[in-house]
Amino acid sequence: MNFESHSTAAGRMAMQTPAAPAHPHETMDAMAPSGADALDSEQQARELEYRSLMRKWWFAAPVGVFTMIMSYPWLIPVLRDWFPRGSPELWYVWAFMGVASAAVLLYSGNQFFTGAWQALKHRSANMHTLIALGTGVAWVYSTIILLFPQVLPSSEMLEVYYDVTVVVTALVVLGLAMELKAKGRTSDAIKKLIGLQPKTARVVRGGMELDIPVEEVLVGDLVVVRPGEKIPVDGEIAEGSSAVDESMVTGESLPVEKKVGDEVIGATINKTGAFKFRATRVGKDTALASIIRMVQDAQGSKVPIQRIVDVVSGYFTPTVAILAILGFMAWYTYGPEPRIVFALIVAVTTLIIACPCALGMATPMSLTTGVGLGALNGILIRDGTALQTAQKLQSVILDKTGTITHGKPVLTDVVMSPGVDENEMLRLAGGVEKSSEHPLAAAIVEGAAARGLALPDAEIFNAIPGRRSARSRRWGSRSS
């Protein structure tokens, strides 16, 4: 048995295949489900996780707003009179906030404590460790001074940090949901790329033309393609000729003339003629499969700055913990009385202000969003390094203006000899070209229609492959 590991938009997948299948169909069975089915499963799992995170966010957000307001009611004119500092009413409100924030930690923030515990079992620390430590310590400290306010030297020092506990949890959960949504956009782009490939192919076997699933096409099969159909796999033309729209791969809007011996690319569109070609690359070896694999690998890659963030994150958590301990020791040794209280406040404050809301998430979210949006707009990014290097670009040189303009030929000028009426010539040229399927012909017809010209019908029309219509050159029309 052979084992293969493949990168996907959501992670990695291991596949076990027979070392030497006895029949091609056994290989196809071993490869099921298809890439589209795998992406559908990933998307469903991602959607469930996204909905779960958003439920946690909507649970934590209202509690966060309430705790932010009621943690400092003396700053708000109306609430200042209703809940003065040290009043029983304020104590009961804070007690309610303690219960509500505990519910937020248990429901919305449980993944942080689980992640911190897993890291602790491996004797390591990560962002989950710092989030769990910061929010947990803030809640414990607030609850202790709320239940035992006499430990404080003055009632003026009684302040709870339930708002920090809830708001940090809510913001990080929202960030995770946004990152998941960004990955979903990348998967949508990959699904659109997969959807470019036709589902079936017409092959010649045993002297008969058979329609079979594209997954069953083998290298060496003779494939038949008719006008208007998509080319199922990569190959080389064996019989016939045609014009093929390869804009999906090259960005070139004009069809490319193909003849015997020329290469054709899977998922491109055959325009005019019919031909037969010999399959040379199928399955994961096709150009389209390579593009899909490149997008998947780019989404899972790391930009150089993200590696720096990962290194910083590895040192950040223990450094913050050490600073909190040093702060506690310094205030406990040299601080005023009650030393233990001031030392605890300093240690808790250090952990709270260092609790990360963006570090470790901003870079991967930016990468995922950039790769996904680029793919949706036809821009394929090779890897994260290329994306980061793009910020240093000063000049962009394009060899195909259609890539950044209309993406198709457009009539811009009609240049005539002296004494020839421009509109009349354009009307006659449009009458011939409207019977043609060529993109330049379509540009002339659209240009004439834009000027409101009534196009006549050609009595005799003959389309010569590779040379436009039989009479358009003689009339001297020009499009660019």
Side-chain angles (χ1 to χ4, degrees):
M1 304 297 287
N2 295 330
F3 292 88
E4 277 189 77
S5 177
H6 299 277
S7 173
T8 67
R12 300 192 65 84
M13 172 182 68
M15 182 174 69
Q16 184 179 20
T17 57
H23 191 274
H25 292 288
E26 294 182 21
T27 304
M28 306 314 302
D29 293 339
M31 292 177 63
S34 66
D37 294 335
L39 280 175
D40 286 337
S41 300
E42 292 170 8
Q43 186 174 17
Q44 291 175 3
R46 186 180 297 109
E47 184 66 23
L48 290 175
E49 187 177 355
Y50 174 76
R51 290 178 181 177
S52 174
L53 288 174
M54 288 308 297
R55 283 194 299 268
K56 294 181 178 182
W57 151 254
W58 284 115
F59 179 75
V63 179
V65 173
F66 177 77
T67 55
M68 286 180 64
I69 295 174
M70 297 309 300
S71 291
Y72 310 96
W74 51 85
L75 299 179
I76 303 174
V78 177
L79 296 179
R80 181 188 304 150
D81 300 329
W82 292 352
F83 303 99
R85 186 191 291 267
S87 65
E89 292 82 5
L90 182 58
W91 189 92
Y92 285 116
V93 170
W94 282 356
F96 171 76
M97 287 166 47
V99 175
S101 59
V104 169
L105 288 179
L106 292 175
Y107 176 65
S108 301
N110 62 78
Q111 65 270 11
F112 305 130
F113 292 92
T114 303
W117 174 248
Q118 295 297 328
L120 182 62
K121 290 196 299 184
H122 292 86
R123 298 180 181 179
S124 62
N126 53 25
M127 282 299 151
H128 286 179
T129 304
L130 194 54
I131 294 171
L133 189 61
T135 56
V137 167
W139 187 89
V140 171
Y141 170 80
S142 300
T143 303
I144 290 176
I145 65 170
L146 185 63
L147 296 177
F148 307 101
Q150 62 272 17
V151 300
L152 299 174
S154 171
S155 61
E156 296 294 325
M157 297 183 62
L158 180 57
E159 291 185 7
V160 294
Y161 295 114
Y162 293 129
D163 56 329
V164 176
T165 298
V166 177
V167 171
V168 168
T169 300
L171 289 178
V172 177
V173 167
L174 180 61
L176 293 174
M178 292 172 61
E179 182 179 4
L180 209 60
K181 195 70 172 178
K183 288 184 178 180
R185 285 196 293 267
T186 303
S187 294
D188 290 340
I190 295 173
K191 287 185 67 176
K192 287 185 178 181
L193 290 173
I194 293 176
L196 293 175
Q197 187 179 44
K199 304 299 182 184
T200 61
R202 187 177 297 106
V203 301
V204 178
R205 289 179 180 174
M208 300 178 59
E209 293 186 4
L210 304 174
D211 288 334
I212 62 174
V214 70
E215 293 84 1
E216 296 183 10
V217 178
L218 304 176
V219 173
D221 275 345
L222 190 63
V223 184
V224 181
V225 182
R226 296 171 181 170
E229 294 181 343
K230 284 186 177 181
I231 298 173
V233 295
D234 298 356
E236 183 179 301
I237 293 183
E239 299 178 21
S241 62
S242 182
V244 178
D245 179 4
E246 296 183 338
S247 58
M248 183 274 295
V249 175
T250 65
E252 176 59 65
S253 57
L254 293 178
V256 180
E257 301 293 336
K258 298 289 185 179
K259 60 183 184 299
V260 174
D262 288 342
E263 182 184 13
V264 290
I265 303 173
T268 56
I269 302 174
N270 179 35
K271 284 292 189 179
T272 55
F275 61 88
K276 297 178 181 179
F277 73 93
R278 190 74 62 180
T280 56
R281 291 189 297 272
V282 300
K284 63 181 179 63
D285 297 323
T286 63
L288 179 61
S290 299
I291 293 174
I292 294 171
R293 187 162 54 250
M294 184 177 67
V295 174
Q296 291 174 328
D297 292 342
Q299 189 274 331
S301 65
K302 288 187 176 183
V303 297
I305 193 174
Q306 186 177 346
R307 299 187 184 99
I308 298 176
V309 171
D310 292 341
V311 173
V312 171
S313 299
Y315 291 102
F316 187 65
T317 300
T319 300
V320 169
I322 292 172
L323 289 176
I325 294 173
L326 291 177
F328 176 88
M329 294 172 61
W331 276 83
Y332 185 75
T333 304
Y334 304 106
E337 295 293 344
R339 297 179 180 180
I340 184 65
V341 174
F342 286 112
L344 283 173
I345 292 175
V346 169
V348 170
T349 304
T350 303
L351 293 173
I352 290 174
I353 63 176
C355 195
C357 297
L359 185 62
M361 289 192 302
T363 303
M365 188 186 303
S366 300
L367 173 66
T368 304
T369 303
V371 172
L373 291 178
L376 287 174
N377 289 277
I379 303 172
L380 302 180
I381 300 172
R382 184 180 300 275
D383 53 32
T385 303
L387 182 61
Q388 180 174 329
T389 305
Q391 67 173 328
K392 301 178 182 178
L393 293 178
Q394 296 179 345
S395 301
V396 178
I397 302 174
L398 302 172
D399 64 340
K400 299 180 179 67
T401 57
T403 304
I404 57 172
T405 55
H406 298 279
K408 64 178 181 179
V410 176
L411 180 67
T412 58
D413 301 284
V414 179
V415 181
M416 304 303 305
S417 301
V420 180
D421 182 70
E422 178 180 309
N423 287 338
E424 178 63 16
M425 181 57 67
L426 182 58
R427 186 182 71 86
L428 295 175
V432 171
E433 300 289 14
K434 72 177 184 179
S435 300
S436 173
E437 298 177 349
H438 200 280
L440 295 181
I444 294 174
V445 173
E446 291 177 2
R451 301 189 184 193
L453 302 179
L455 304 183
D457 295 327
E459 295 181 2
I460 300 175
F461 176 84
N462 182 23
I464 303 175
R467 298 190 61 186
R468 301 173 61 190
S469 61
R471 297 179 59 92
S472 63
R473 288 182 180 272
R474 205 174 93 185
W475 281 348
S477 66
R478 172 179 167 184
S479 65
S480 61

